[in-house]
Structure formats: C-alpha cells, structure tokens
Amino acid sequence: MTRRLLLVVACALVDADNRILIAQRPEGKALAGLWEFPGGKVDAGETPEDALIRELREELGVETKTACLAPLTFASHTYDDFHLLMPLYVCRRWTGFPRSLEGQAIKWVRAKQLRDYPMPPADEPLIAPLIELL
Ligand code: 9L3
Ligand code: MG
C-alpha cells in the first residue's frame, strides 16, 4: 500500500522555569482528548518554521520568530493512511501570553511529568530527548 507523507511541525514552548506547554486535542479532531506538543501541518509554500510560527499564533496567540526555534529531534510514525514526519522545535522566546484560541485545554508541565499525559503515538518518543535537554 502507498501512504502519503504528511509533514507536521510541533513545538515545545519552554518557560523560564523549564516547564513545557502541552495542549489537549479538542473534541471533533483526530486523536481527540490526547495531549500533544502544539503545531500542525506544513502548508504548500511554507517552510516548517513558517508553519510553526503560524500555528503558534493561531492556536495560542503567541508570536515568535525563526531565530527562536531550535530543532531538537523528530517523530516518524506510520498511521493507517499516511506516514507522519514531525520535527520538534524548542522555543524559549516569544511574545504574548499563551492562551487557548481553539478550544483546547493547555497545561504547563515538567519534562518528567509528560509521561502522565496520554499523547498521540507520534509524540511519545519526543519525551525522552526533552527530559535529557531539560
Ligand atoms: N499530530 C500529532 N502530534 C502533534 C501534532 C501537532 C499533530 N503534536 C498529528 C495529528 C494529526 C496530524 O498530525 O493526525 C495533523 O495535525 P492537526 O493539523 O490535526 O493538528
Ligand atoms: Mg494543530
């Protein structure tokens, strides 16, 4: 079977206290109820950084820039109908107070607490590198 490759970007927003923001996927979306690193699909014509800056603005109302996005690792996960490739960036500098703009719950958690939140299978392997970093 041929699967489409889907490019998605995700971000660990890390605050001054080394806590990470996670968001709960809202009802009606794929994987509803699971906690994820915020982000979304890279649209045609966008760089991954452009897409992440846009998604952070749309979902959380924060503004950041490419120079503030450091790639850490990436997820590679096969779903039934597509293969997801998802770089994870770490961002420690932004402006605006992160708030829920799309009905998602949000939470600041320590890296070691991430395992207490059920995540999509693509996100789970991203936890260990974050624990190591933070
Ligand atoms: N996804 C998984 N983990 C994440 C993100 C941001 C996205 N941290 C998966 C869920 C969907 C696909 O990527 O299958 C596209 O995401 P969205 O556009 O529905 O947020
Ligand atoms: Mg999204």
Side-chain angles (χ1 to χ4, degrees):
M1 141 177 217
T2 42
R3 291 187 180 85
R4 186 161 77 77
L5 181 65
L6 183 68
L7 181 59
V8 173
V9 276
C11 187
L13 278 185
V14 178
D15 73 6
D17 209 19
N18 268 356
R19 294 177 313 163
I20 300 159
L21 187 144
I22 53 173
Q24 191 173 33
R25 294 182 62 85
E27 287 309 313
K29 271 192 139 184
L31 307 165
L34 298 181
W35 293 86
E36 67 175 11
F37 301 104
K41 293 181 191 99
V42 179
D43 292 337
E46 285 183 322
T47 66
E49 293 85 358
D50 291 338
L52 193 49
I53 290 167
R54 175 182 53 73
E55 291 282 349
L56 293 173
R57 183 183 300 133
E58 291 172 357
E59 295 182 355
L60 298 167
V62 304
E63 291 295 330
T64 190
K65 47 192 180 183
T66 301
C68 299
L69 298 174
L72 177 66
T73 183
F74 66 92
S76 175
H77 187 82
T78 302
Y79 287 89
D80 285 347
D81 46 347
F82 60 91
H83 186 88
L84 179 76
L85 188 65
M86 184 171 74
L88 177 75
Y89 289 80
V90 172
C91 177
R92 290 179 173 273
R93 286 168 64 91
W94 62 85
T95 58
F97 188 81
R99 61 196 191 279
S100 167
L101 295 180
E102 293 187 343
Q104 75 282 33
I106 60 174
K107 239 182 173 64
W108 289 98
V109 301
R110 305 217 157 269
K112 282 189 175 147
Q113 296 173 321
L114 287 169
R115 298 199 195 285
D116 299 339
Y117 296 86
M119 287 191 152
D123 294 58
E124 274 168 13
L126 305 175
I127 295 174
L130 275 171
I131 291 175
E132 182 143 349
L133 178 75
L134 301 173

